[in-house]
Amino acid sequence: MVYGYRALTILAAALLTSCAGTTDRVVPTGHHTYTVAIHGDIGFTPTSLVEPKAHEAADAFCEKQNKQVKLLGEREIYGDVGVYPSVELEFRCAPRN
């Protein structure tokens, strides 16, 4: 019985930690287009705190290519009970002017 509680505790901890935090990995979505999504840590985090992190991740990605971000679209999901706030940017890395 002790092993059952231990296994349940480990499983619960793994599920909880997989849902929290940020996902700032840039993902290719098409021909020279990319998406980055940043999620808040708790449901009641305002998207105004999440949005700058998304822009920073996109800027850093394009900066490595010596280019600048050209924003193609932005999607905000507001937090609520059981819903983490998030900001998703679709962008392209364009040559610097």
Side-chain angles (χ1 to χ4, degrees):
M1 192 67 166
V2 173
Y3 292 112
Y5 288 122
R6 186 176 295 160
L8 184 60
T9 302
I10 291 170
L11 179 62
L15 288 173
L16 289 173
T17 57
S18 68
C19 294
T22 62
T23 307
D24 59 357
R25 185 175 55 182
V26 174
V27 178
T29 56
H31 186 66
H32 301 291
T33 59
Y34 306 93
T35 297
V36 63
I38 303 292
H39 307 280
D41 293 331
I42 59 173
F44 297 106
T45 302
T47 55
S48 61
L49 295 178
V50 179
E51 183 181 8
K53 294 177 183 180
H55 285 278
E56 288 170 10
D59 287 338
F61 180 80
C62 290
E63 184 68 34
K64 289 179 184 176
Q65 302 174 36
N66 199 26
K67 295 183 177 183
Q68 64 185 12
V69 171
K70 180 181 179 190
L71 192 61
L72 302 174
E74 182 172 334
R75 181 175 167 222
E76 292 184 8
I77 297 173
Y78 299 97
D80 202 348
V81 176
V83 178
Y84 289 94
S86 65
V87 173
E88 183 178 298
L89 302 179
E90 183 179 2
F91 66 96
R92 180 178 300 233
C93 294
R96 295 187 180 279
N97 294 333

Coordinates of all heavy atoms in Angstrom, one line a residue:
M1 N 0.8 -1.2 0.0 CA 0.0 0.0 0.0 C 0.9 1.3 0.0 O 0.5 2.2 -0.6 CB -0.9 0.0 1.2 CG -2.0 1.0 1.2 SD -3.1 0.6 -0.2 CE -4.4 1.6 0.2
V2 N 2.0 1.2 0.7 CA 2.9 2.4 0.7 C 3.4 2.7 -0.7 O 3.5 3.8 -1.1 CB 4.1 2.1 1.7 CG1 5.1 3.2 1.6 CG2 3.6 2.0 3.1
Y3 N 3.7 1.6 -1.5 CA 4.2 1.8 -2.8 C 3.1 2.5 -3.7 O 3.4 3.3 -4.6 CB 4.6 0.5 -3.4 CG 5.8 0.0 -2.8 CD1 5.8 -1.2 -2.0 CD2 7.1 0.6 -2.9 CE1 6.9 -1.7 -1.4 CE2 8.2 0.1 -2.3 CZ 8.1 -1.1 -1.5 OH 9.2 -1.6 -0.9
G4 N 1.9 2.2 -3.5 CA 0.8 2.8 -4.2 C 0.7 4.3 -4.0 O 0.5 5.1 -4.9
Y5 N 0.8 4.7 -2.7 CA 0.8 6.2 -2.4 C 2.0 6.9 -3.0 O 1.9 8.0 -3.5 CB 0.7 6.4 -0.9 CG -0.6 6.0 -0.3 CD1 -0.7 5.1 0.7 CD2 -1.8 6.7 -0.7 CE1 -1.9 4.8 1.3 CE2 -3.0 6.4 -0.2 CZ -3.1 5.4 0.9 OH -4.3 5.1 1.4
R6 N 3.1 6.2 -2.9 CA 4.4 6.8 -3.4 C 4.2 7.0 -5.0 O 4.6 8.0 -5.5 CB 5.6 5.9 -3.1 CG 6.9 6.6 -3.5 CD 8.1 5.7 -3.1 NE 8.1 5.7 -1.6 CZ 8.8 4.8 -0.9 NH1 9.4 3.9 -1.5 NH2 8.8 4.9 0.4
A7 N 3.7 6.0 -5.6 CA 3.6 6.0 -7.1 C 2.6 7.1 -7.5 O 2.8 7.9 -8.4 CB 3.1 4.7 -7.6
L8 N 1.5 7.2 -6.7 CA 0.5 8.2 -7.0 C 1.0 9.6 -6.7 O 0.8 10.6 -7.5 CB -0.7 8.0 -6.0 CG -1.9 8.9 -6.3 CD1 -2.5 8.8 -7.7 CD2 -3.0 8.6 -5.3
T9 N 1.8 9.8 -5.7 CA 2.5 11.1 -5.4 C 3.4 11.5 -6.5 O 3.4 12.6 -7.0 CB 3.2 11.0 -4.1 OG1 2.3 10.7 -3.1 CG2 3.8 12.4 -3.7
I10 N 4.2 10.6 -7.0 CA 5.2 10.9 -8.1 C 4.4 11.2 -9.4 O 4.8 12.1 -10.1 CB 6.1 9.7 -8.3 CG1 7.1 9.6 -7.1 CG2 6.9 9.8 -9.6 CD1 7.9 8.3 -7.1
L11 N 3.4 10.5 -9.7 CA 2.6 10.7 -10.9 C 1.9 12.1 -10.8 O 1.9 12.9 -11.8 CB 1.5 9.7 -11.0 CG 0.5 9.9 -12.2 CD1 1.3 9.8 -13.5 CD2 -0.5 8.8 -12.2
A12 N 1.3 12.5 -9.6 CA 0.7 13.8 -9.5 C 1.7 14.9 -9.6 O 1.5 15.9 -10.3 CB 0.0 13.8 -8.1
A13 N 2.9 14.7 -9.0 CA 3.9 15.8 -9.2 C 4.4 15.9 -10.6 O 4.6 17.1 -11.1 CB 5.1 15.4 -8.3
A14 N 4.5 14.8 -11.3 CA 4.9 14.9 -12.7 C 3.9 15.6 -13.6 O 4.2 16.4 -14.4 CB 5.2 13.5 -13.3
L15 N 2.6 15.3 -13.3 CA 1.5 16.0 -14.1 C 1.5 17.5 -13.8 O 1.3 18.3 -14.7 CB 0.2 15.3 -13.8 CG 0.0 13.9 -14.4 CD1 -1.3 13.3 -13.9 CD2 0.0 14.0 -15.9
L16 N 1.6 17.9 -12.5 CA 1.6 19.3 -12.2 C 2.7 20.1 -12.7 O 2.6 21.2 -13.2 CB 1.5 19.4 -10.6 CG 0.2 19.0 -10.0 CD1 0.3 19.1 -8.5 CD2 -0.9 19.9 -10.5
T17 N 3.9 19.5 -12.7 CA 5.1 20.2 -13.2 C 5.1 20.3 -14.7 O 5.6 21.2 -15.3 CB 6.4 19.6 -12.7 OG1 6.5 18.3 -13.1 CG2 6.6 19.8 -11.2
S18 N 4.4 19.4 -15.4 CA 4.4 19.5 -16.9 C 3.5 20.6 -17.3 O 3.6 21.0 -18.5 CB 3.9 18.1 -17.4 OG 2.6 17.9 -17.1
C19 N 2.6 21.1 -16.5 CA 1.6 22.1 -16.9 C 2.1 23.5 -16.6 O 1.5 24.4 -17.1 CB 0.3 21.9 -16.2 SG -0.5 20.3 -16.7
A20 N 3.0 23.7 -15.8 CA 3.5 25.0 -15.3 C 4.7 25.5 -16.1 O 5.4 24.7 -16.7 CB 3.8 24.9 -13.8
G21 N 4.9 26.8 -16.0 CA 6.1 27.3 -16.6 C 5.9 27.9 -18.0 O 4.8 28.1 -18.4
T22 N 7.0 28.1 -18.7 CA 6.9 28.7 -20.0 C 7.4 27.7 -21.1 O 8.2 26.8 -20.8 CB 7.7 30.0 -20.1 OG1 9.1 29.6 -19.8 CG2 7.3 31.0 -19.1
T23 N 7.0 28.0 -22.3 CA 7.5 27.2 -23.4 C 8.0 28.3 -24.4 O 7.2 28.8 -25.2 CB 6.3 26.4 -24.1 OG1 5.7 25.6 -23.0 CG2 6.8 25.5 -25.1
D24 N 9.2 28.6 -24.3 CA 9.7 29.7 -25.2 C 10.5 29.1 -26.3 O 11.4 29.8 -26.9 CB 10.5 30.7 -24.3 CG 11.7 30.0 -23.7 OD1 11.9 28.8 -23.8 OD2 12.5 30.8 -23.0
R25 N 10.2 27.9 -26.8 CA 10.9 27.3 -27.9 C 10.3 27.8 -29.2 O 9.0 27.8 -29.3 CB 10.9 25.8 -27.8 CG 11.7 25.1 -28.9 CD 11.7 23.7 -28.7 NE 10.3 23.2 -28.6 CZ 10.0 22.0 -28.4 NH1 10.9 21.1 -28.2 NH2 8.7 21.6 -28.3
V26 N 11.1 28.3 -30.1 CA 10.6 28.8 -31.4 C 10.4 27.6 -32.3 O 11.3 26.7 -32.4 CB 11.6 29.8 -32.0 CG1 11.1 30.2 -33.4 CG2 11.7 31.0 -31.1
V27 N 9.2 27.5 -32.9 CA 8.9 26.3 -33.8 C 8.6 26.8 -35.2 O 7.8 27.7 -35.4 CB 7.6 25.6 -33.2 CG1 7.2 24.5 -34.1 CG2 7.8 25.2 -31.8
P28 N 9.3 26.2 -36.2 CA 9.0 26.5 -37.6 C 7.6 26.1 -38.0 O 7.1 25.0 -37.6 CB 10.0 25.7 -38.4 CG 10.9 25.0 -37.5 CD 10.3 25.2 -36.1
T29 N 6.8 27.0 -38.7 CA 5.5 26.7 -39.0 C 5.2 26.7 -40.5 O 4.1 26.4 -40.9 CB 4.5 27.7 -38.3 OG1 4.9 29.0 -38.7 CG2 4.5 27.5 -36.8
G30 N 6.2 27.1 -41.3 CA 6.0 27.2 -42.7 C 7.3 27.7 -43.4 O 8.3 27.6 -42.8
H31 N 7.1 28.2 -44.6 CA 8.3 28.7 -45.3 C 8.8 30.0 -44.7 O 8.2 31.1 -44.9 CB 7.8 29.0 -46.8 CG 9.0 29.3 -47.7 ND1 10.0 28.5 -47.9 CD2 9.3 30.5 -48.3 CE1 10.9 29.1 -48.7 NE2 10.4 30.3 -49.0
H32 N 9.8 29.9 -43.9 CA 10.4 31.0 -43.2 C 9.5 31.7 -42.2 O 9.7 32.9 -41.9 CB 11.0 32.0 -44.2 CG 12.0 31.5 -45.1 ND1 13.3 31.1 -44.7 CD2 12.0 31.2 -46.4 CE1 14.0 30.6 -45.7 NE2 13.2 30.7 -46.8
T33 N 8.5 31.0 -41.7 CA 7.7 31.5 -40.6 C 7.8 30.7 -39.4 O 8.1 29.5 -39.5 CB 6.2 31.6 -41.0 OG1 5.7 30.3 -41.4 CG2 6.0 32.5 -42.2
Y34 N 7.6 31.3 -38.2 CA 7.9 30.7 -36.9 C 6.8 31.1 -36.0 O 6.1 32.1 -36.1 CB 9.2 31.1 -36.4 CG 10.4 30.9 -37.3 CD1 10.8 31.9 -38.2 CD2 11.0 29.6 -37.4 CE1 11.8 31.6 -39.1 CE2 12.0 29.4 -38.3 CZ 12.4 30.4 -39.1 OH 13.5 30.2 -40.0
T35 N 6.7 30.3 -34.9 CA 5.7 30.5 -33.8 C 6.5 30.3 -32.5 O 7.3 29.4 -32.4 CB 4.5 29.6 -33.9 OG1 3.8 29.8 -35.1 CG2 3.6 29.8 -32.7
V36 N 6.2 31.2 -31.6 CA 6.6 31.0 -30.2 C 5.4 31.2 -29.3 O 4.6 32.1 -29.5 CB 7.8 32.0 -29.8 CG1 7.4 33.4 -29.9 CG2 8.4 31.6 -28.5
A37 N 5.3 30.4 -28.3 CA 4.2 30.5 -27.3 C 4.8 30.6 -25.9 O 5.6 29.8 -25.5 CB 3.2 29.3 -27.4
I38 N 4.3 31.5 -25.1 CA 4.7 31.7 -23.8 C 3.5 31.6 -22.9 O 2.4 32.2 -23.2 CB 5.4 33.1 -23.5 CG1 6.6 33.3 -24.4 CG2 5.8 33.2 -22.1 CD1 7.7 32.4 -24.2
H39 N 3.6 30.8 -21.9 CA 2.4 30.5 -21.0 C 2.8 31.1 -19.6 O 3.9 30.9 -19.1 CB 2.2 29.0 -20.8 CG 2.0 28.3 -22.2 ND1 0.8 28.4 -22.9 CD2 2.9 27.6 -23.0 CE1 1.0 27.8 -24.0 NE2 2.2 27.3 -24.1
G40 N 1.8 31.6 -18.9 CA 1.9 32.1 -17.6 C 2.0 31.0 -16.6 O 1.7 29.9 -16.9
D41 N 2.5 31.3 -15.4 CA 2.7 30.3 -14.4 C 1.5 29.9 -13.6 O 1.3 28.8 -13.2 CB 3.8 30.8 -13.4 CG 5.2 30.9 -14.0 OD1 5.4 30.1 -14.9 OD2 6.0 31.7 -13.5
I42 N 0.5 30.9 -13.5 CA -0.7 30.6 -12.9 C -1.9 31.1 -13.7 O -1.6 32.0 -14.5 CB -0.8 31.1 -11.4 CG1 -0.6 32.6 -11.4 CG2 0.2 30.4 -10.5 CD1 -0.8 33.2 -10.1
G43 N -3.1 30.7 -13.5 CA -4.2 31.1 -14.3 C -4.5 32.6 -14.2 O -5.1 33.1 -15.1
F44 N -4.2 33.3 -13.2 CA -4.6 34.7 -13.0 C -3.4 35.6 -13.4 O -3.5 36.8 -13.0 CB -5.2 34.9 -11.7 CG -6.4 34.1 -11.4 CD1 -6.4 33.0 -10.6 CD2 -7.6 34.4 -12.1 CE1 -7.5 32.2 -10.4 CE2 -8.7 33.7 -11.9 CZ -8.7 32.6 -11.1
T45 N -2.4 35.2 -14.0 CA -1.3 36.0 -14.5 C -1.9 36.9 -15.7 O -2.4 36.3 -16.6 CB -0.1 35.2 -15.0 OG1 0.3 34.4 -13.9 CG2 1.0 36.1 -15.4
P46 N -1.7 38.2 -15.7 CA -2.2 39.0 -16.8 C -1.3 38.7 -18.0 O -0.1 38.5 -17.9 CB -2.1 40.4 -16.3 CG -1.2 40.4 -15.2 CD -1.2 39.0 -14.6
T47 N -2.0 38.7 -19.2 CA -1.2 38.5 -20.4 C -0.2 39.6 -20.7 O 0.8 39.5 -21.4 CB -2.1 38.4 -21.7 OG1 -3.0 39.5 -21.7 CG2 -2.9 37.1 -21.6
S48 N -0.4 40.8 -20.0 CA 0.5 41.9 -20.2 C 1.9 41.6 -19.6 O 2.9 42.2 -20.0 CB 0.0 43.2 -19.5 OG -0.2 43.0 -18.1
L49 N 1.9 40.6 -18.7 CA 3.2 40.1 -18.2 C 3.8 39.0 -19.0 O 5.0 38.8 -19.0 CB 3.1 39.6 -16.7 CG 2.7 40.7 -15.7 CD1 2.5 40.0 -14.3 CD2 3.7 41.8 -15.6
V50 N 3.0 38.3 -19.7 CA 3.4 37.2 -20.6 C 3.9 37.7 -21.9 O 4.9 37.2 -22.5 CB 2.3 36.2 -20.7 CG1 2.7 35.0 -21.6 CG2 1.8 35.7 -19.3
E51 N 3.2 38.7 -22.5 CA 3.5 39.1 -23.8 C 5.0 39.6 -24.1 O 5.6 39.2 -25.1 CB 2.6 40.3 -24.2 CG 2.8 40.7 -25.6 CD 1.8 41.9 -26.0 OE1 1.1 42.4 -25.1 OE2 1.8 42.2 -27.2
P52 N 5.6 40.4 -23.2 CA 7.0 40.8 -23.4 C 7.9 39.6 -23.5 O 8.9 39.6 -24.3 CB 7.3 41.6 -22.2 CG 6.0 42.1 -21.7 CD 5.0 41.0 -22.0
K53 N 7.7 38.5 -22.8 CA 8.5 37.3 -22.9 C 8.5 36.7 -24.2 O 9.5 36.2 -24.7 CB 8.2 36.3 -21.8 CG 8.4 36.8 -20.4 CD 8.0 35.8 -19.3 CE 8.2 36.4 -17.9 NZ 7.7 35.4 -16.9
A54 N 7.3 36.7 -24.8 CA 7.1 36.1 -26.2 C 7.9 37.0 -27.2 O 8.6 36.4 -28.1 CB 5.7 36.1 -26.6
H55 N 7.8 38.3 -27.1 CA 8.6 39.2 -28.0 C 10.1 39.0 -27.8 O 10.8 39.0 -28.7 CB 8.1 40.6 -27.8 CG 6.8 40.9 -28.4 ND1 6.6 41.2 -29.7 CD2 5.5 40.9 -27.8 CE1 5.3 41.4 -30.0 NE2 4.7 41.2 -28.8
E56 N 10.5 38.9 -26.5 CA 11.9 38.7 -26.3 C 12.5 37.4 -26.9 O 13.5 37.3 -27.5 CB 12.2 38.6 -24.8 CG 12.1 40.0 -24.1 CD 12.1 39.8 -22.5 OE1 12.4 38.8 -22.0 OE2 11.8 40.8 -21.9
A57 N 11.7 36.3 -26.8 CA 12.1 35.0 -27.4 C 12.2 35.1 -28.9 O 13.1 34.6 -29.6 CB 11.1 33.9 -27.0
A58 N 11.2 35.8 -29.6 CA 11.2 36.0 -31.0 C 12.4 36.9 -31.4 O 13.1 36.6 -32.4 CB 9.9 36.6 -31.5
D59 N 12.6 38.0 -30.7 CA 13.8 38.9 -30.9 C 15.1 38.1 -30.9 O 16.0 38.3 -31.7 CB 13.8 40.1 -30.0 CG 12.7 41.1 -30.3 OD1 12.2 41.1 -31.4 OD2 12.3 41.8 -29.3
A60 N 15.3 37.3 -29.8 CA 16.5 36.6 -29.6 C 16.7 35.6 -30.8 O 17.9 35.4 -31.2 CB 16.5 35.9 -28.3
F61 N 15.7 34.9 -31.2 CA 15.8 34.0 -32.3 C 16.2 34.7 -33.6 O 17.1 34.2 -34.3 CB 14.4 33.3 -32.5 CG 14.4 32.3 -33.6 CD1 14.9 31.0 -33.4 CD2 14.0 32.6 -34.9 CE1 15.0 30.1 -34.4 CE2 14.0 31.6 -35.9 CZ 14.5 30.4 -35.7
C62 N 15.6 35.8 -33.9 CA 16.0 36.5 -35.2 C 17.4 37.2 -35.0 O 18.1 37.2 -36.0 CB 14.9 37.5 -35.5 SG 13.4 36.8 -36.1
E63 N 17.7 37.6 -33.8 CA 19.0 38.3 -33.6 C 20.1 37.3 -33.9 O 21.2 37.7 -34.4 CB 19.1 38.8 -32.2 CG 20.3 39.5 -31.8 CD 20.4 40.8 -32.5 OE1 19.4 41.5 -32.7 OE2 21.6 41.2 -32.9
K64 N 20.0 36.0 -33.6 CA 21.0 35.0 -33.9 C 21.3 34.9 -35.4 O 22.3 34.5 -35.8 CB 20.6 33.6 -33.3 CG 20.6 33.5 -31.9 CD 20.1 32.2 -31.4 CE 20.1 32.1 -29.9 NZ 19.5 30.8 -29.4
Q65 N 20.3 35.3 -36.2 CA 20.4 35.3 -37.7 C 20.8 36.6 -38.2 O 20.8 36.9 -39.4 CB 19.1 34.8 -38.3 CG 18.7 33.4 -37.8 CD 17.3 33.1 -38.4 OE1 17.0 33.4 -39.5 NE2 16.5 32.4 -37.6
N66 N 21.1 37.6 -37.3 CA 21.4 39.0 -37.7 C 20.2 39.6 -38.5 O 20.4 40.3 -39.4 CB 22.7 39.1 -38.4 CG 23.2 40.5 -38.4 OD1 22.9 41.3 -37.5 ND2 24.0 40.9 -39.4
K67 N 19.0 39.3 -38.0 CA 17.8 39.8 -38.6 C 16.9 40.4 -37.6 O 17.2 40.3 -36.4 CB 17.0 38.7 -39.4 CG 17.8 38.1 -40.6 CD 17.1 37.1 -41.3 CE 17.9 36.6 -42.6 NZ 17.1 35.6 -43.3
Q68 N 15.7 40.9 -38.0 CA 14.8 41.5 -37.1 C 13.4 40.8 -37.3 O 13.1 40.3 -38.3 CB 14.7 43.0 -37.3 CG 14.1 43.4 -38.6 CD 14.1 44.9 -38.8 OE1 14.8 45.7 -38.0 NE2 13.5 45.4 -39.8
V69 N 12.6 40.9 -36.2 CA 11.3 40.3 -36.2 C 10.3 41.1 -37.1 O 10.2 42.3 -37.0 CB 10.7 40.2 -34.8 CG1 9.3 39.7 -34.8 CG2 11.5 39.2 -34.0
K70 N 9.6 40.4 -37.9 CA 8.4 41.0 -38.6 C 7.2 40.2 -38.1 O 7.0 39.0 -38.4 CB 8.6 40.8 -40.1 CG 7.4 41.4 -40.8 CD 7.5 41.3 -42.3 CE 6.2 41.9 -42.9 NZ 6.1 41.6 -44.3
L71 N 6.4 40.8 -37.3 CA 5.3 40.1 -36.7 C 4.1 39.9 -37.7 O 3.7 40.8 -38.4 CB 4.7 41.0 -35.5 CG 3.7 40.4 -34.6 CD1 4.3 39.1 -33.9 CD2 3.3 41.4 -33.5
L72 N 3.7 38.7 -37.8 CA 2.6 38.3 -38.7 C 1.3 38.2 -38.0 O 0.2 38.4 -38.6 CB 3.0 37.0 -39.5 CG 4.3 37.0 -40.2 CD1 4.6 35.6 -40.8 CD2 4.2 38.1 -41.3
G73 N 1.3 37.8 -36.7 CA 0.1 37.6 -36.0 C 0.4 37.4 -34.5 O 1.4 37.0 -34.1
E74 N -0.6 37.7 -33.7 CA -0.5 37.5 -32.3 C -1.8 37.0 -31.7 O -2.9 37.5 -32.1 CB -0.1 38.8 -31.6 CG 0.1 38.7 -30.1 CD 0.6 40.0 -29.5 OE1 1.3 40.8 -30.3 OE2 0.4 40.3 -28.4
R75 N -1.7 36.0 -30.8 CA -2.9 35.5 -30.2 C -2.8 35.5 -28.7 O -1.8 35.0 -28.2 CB -3.2 34.1 -30.7 CG -4.4 33.4 -30.2 CD -4.5 32.0 -30.9 NE -5.5 31.3 -30.1 CZ -5.4 30.0 -29.8 NH1 -4.4 29.3 -30.3 NH2 -6.3 29.4 -29.2
E76 N -3.7 36.0 -28.0 CA -3.7 36.0 -26.5 C -4.8 35.1 -26.0 O -5.9 35.2 -26.4 CB -3.9 37.4 -26.0 CG -2.7 38.3 -26.2 CD -2.9 39.7 -25.6 OE1 -3.8 39.9 -24.8 OE2 -2.1 40.6 -25.9
I77 N -4.5 34.3 -25.0 CA -5.5 33.5 -24.3 C -5.4 34.0 -22.8 O -4.4 33.9 -22.2 CB -5.2 32.0 -24.4 CG1 -5.3 31.6 -25.8 CG2 -6.2 31.2 -23.5 CD1 -4.9 30.2 -26.1
Y78 N -6.5 34.5 -22.3 CA -6.6 35.1 -21.0 C -6.8 33.9 -20.0 O -7.5 33.0 -20.2 CB -7.7 36.1 -20.9 CG -7.4 37.3 -21.8 CD1 -8.0 37.3 -23.0 CD2 -6.5 38.3 -21.4 CE1 -7.8 38.4 -23.9 CE2 -6.3 39.3 -22.3 CZ -6.9 39.4 -23.5 OH -6.6 40.4 -24.4
G79 N -6.1 34.0 -18.8 CA -6.2 33.0 -17.8 C -7.5 33.0 -17.1 O -8.2 34.0 -17.0
D80 N -7.8 31.9 -16.5 CA -9.0 31.6 -15.8 C -8.8 30.4 -14.9 O -7.7 29.8 -15.0 CB -10.2 31.5 -16.7 CG -11.5 31.8 -16.0 OD1 -11.5 31.9 -14.8 OD2 -12.6 31.9 -16.7
V81 N -9.8 30.0 -14.2 CA -9.6 28.7 -13.4 C -9.3 27.6 -14.3 O -10.1 27.3 -15.2 CB -10.9 28.5 -12.6 CG1 -10.7 27.2 -11.8 CG2 -11.1 29.6 -11.6
G82 N -8.2 26.9 -14.2 CA -7.8 25.8 -15.0 C -7.3 26.2 -16.4 O -7.0 25.3 -17.2
V83 N -7.2 27.4 -16.7 CA -6.6 27.9 -18.0 C -5.5 28.8 -17.8 O -5.6 29.9 -17.1 CB -7.7 28.6 -18.8 CG1 -7.1 29.1 -20.1 CG2 -8.9 27.7 -19.0
Y84 N -4.3 28.4 -18.3 CA -3.1 29.3 -18.1 C -3.1 30.3 -19.2 O -3.4 30.0 -20.4 CB -1.8 28.5 -18.2 CG -1.6 27.6 -17.0 CD1 -2.0 26.2 -17.0 CD2 -1.0 28.1 -15.9 CE1 -1.8 25.4 -15.9 CE2 -0.8 27.3 -14.8 CZ -1.2 26.0 -14.8 OH -1.0 25.2 -13.7
P85 N -2.8 31.6 -18.8 CA -2.7 32.6 -19.9 C -1.6 32.3 -20.8 O -0.5 31.8 -20.4 CB -2.5 33.9 -19.0 CG -1.8 33.4 -17.8 CD -2.4 32.1 -17.5
S86 N -1.7 32.7 -22.0 CA -0.6 32.5 -23.0 C -0.7 33.5 -24.1 O -1.7 34.1 -24.4 CB -0.7 31.1 -23.6 OG -1.8 30.9 -24.4
V87 N 0.5 33.7 -24.7 CA 0.6 34.6 -25.8 C 1.4 33.8 -26.9 O 2.4 33.2 -26.6 CB 1.4 35.9 -25.5 CG1 1.6 36.7 -26.7 CG2 0.6 36.7 -24.5
E88 N 0.8 33.8 -28.1 CA 1.5 33.1 -29.2 C 1.7 34.1 -30.3 O 0.8 34.8 -30.7 CB 0.5 32.0 -29.7 CG 1.1 31.2 -30.8 CD 0.1 30.1 -31.2 OE1 -0.3 29.2 -30.3 OE2 -0.4 30.1 -32.3
L89 N 3.0 34.1 -30.8 CA 3.4 35.0 -31.8 C 3.7 34.2 -33.1 O 4.4 33.2 -33.0 CB 4.6 35.8 -31.5 CG 4.5 36.7 -30.2 CD1 5.9 37.4 -30.0 CD2 3.4 37.7 -30.3
E90 N 3.2 34.7 -34.2 CA 3.6 34.1 -35.5 C 4.5 35.2 -36.1 O 4.1 36.4 -36.2 CB 2.5 33.8 -36.4 CG 2.9 33.2 -37.7 CD 1.7 32.8 -38.6 OE1 0.6 33.1 -38.2 OE2 2.0 32.2 -39.7
F91 N 5.7 34.9 -36.6 CA 6.6 35.9 -37.1 C 7.5 35.3 -38.2 O 7.6 34.1 -38.4 CB 7.4 36.5 -35.9 CG 8.4 35.5 -35.3 CD1 9.7 35.5 -35.7 CD2 7.9 34.7 -34.3 CE1 10.6 34.6 -35.1 CE2 8.8 33.8 -33.7 CZ 10.1 33.7 -34.1
R92 N 8.2 36.2 -38.8 CA 9.2 36.0 -39.8 C 10.5 36.8 -39.4 O 10.4 37.8 -38.8 CB 8.7 36.4 -41.1 CG 9.5 36.2 -42.3 CD 8.8 36.7 -43.5 NE 7.6 35.9 -43.6 CZ 7.2 35.2 -44.7 NH1 7.9 35.3 -45.8 NH2 6.1 34.5 -44.7
C93 N 11.6 36.3 -39.7 CA 12.9 37.0 -39.5 C 13.2 37.7 -40.8 O 13.5 37.1 -41.8 CB 14.0 36.1 -39.1 SG 13.7 35.3 -37.5
A94 N 13.2 39.0 -40.8 CA 13.4 39.9 -42.0 C 14.8 40.5 -41.9 O 15.3 40.8 -40.8 CB 12.3 40.9 -42.1
P95 N 15.4 40.8 -43.1 CA 16.6 41.5 -43.1 C 16.5 42.9 -42.4 O 15.5 43.5 -42.4 CB 17.0 41.7 -44.6 CG 16.1 40.7 -45.3 CD 14.9 40.5 -44.4
R96 N 17.6 43.3 -41.8 CA 17.6 44.6 -41.1 C 17.6 45.7 -42.1 O 18.2 45.6 -43.2 CB 18.8 44.8 -40.2 CG 18.8 43.8 -39.0 CD 20.0 44.1 -38.1 NE 20.0 43.2 -37.0 CZ 19.2 43.3 -35.9 NH1 18.4 44.3 -35.8 NH2 19.2 42.4 -35.0
N97 N 16.9 46.8 -41.8 CA 16.9 48.0 -42.7 C 18.1 48.8 -42.6 O 18.7 49.0 -41.7 CB 15.7 48.9 -42.4 CG 14.4 48.1 -42.7 OD1 14.4 47.3 -43.5 ND2 13.3 48.5 -42.0

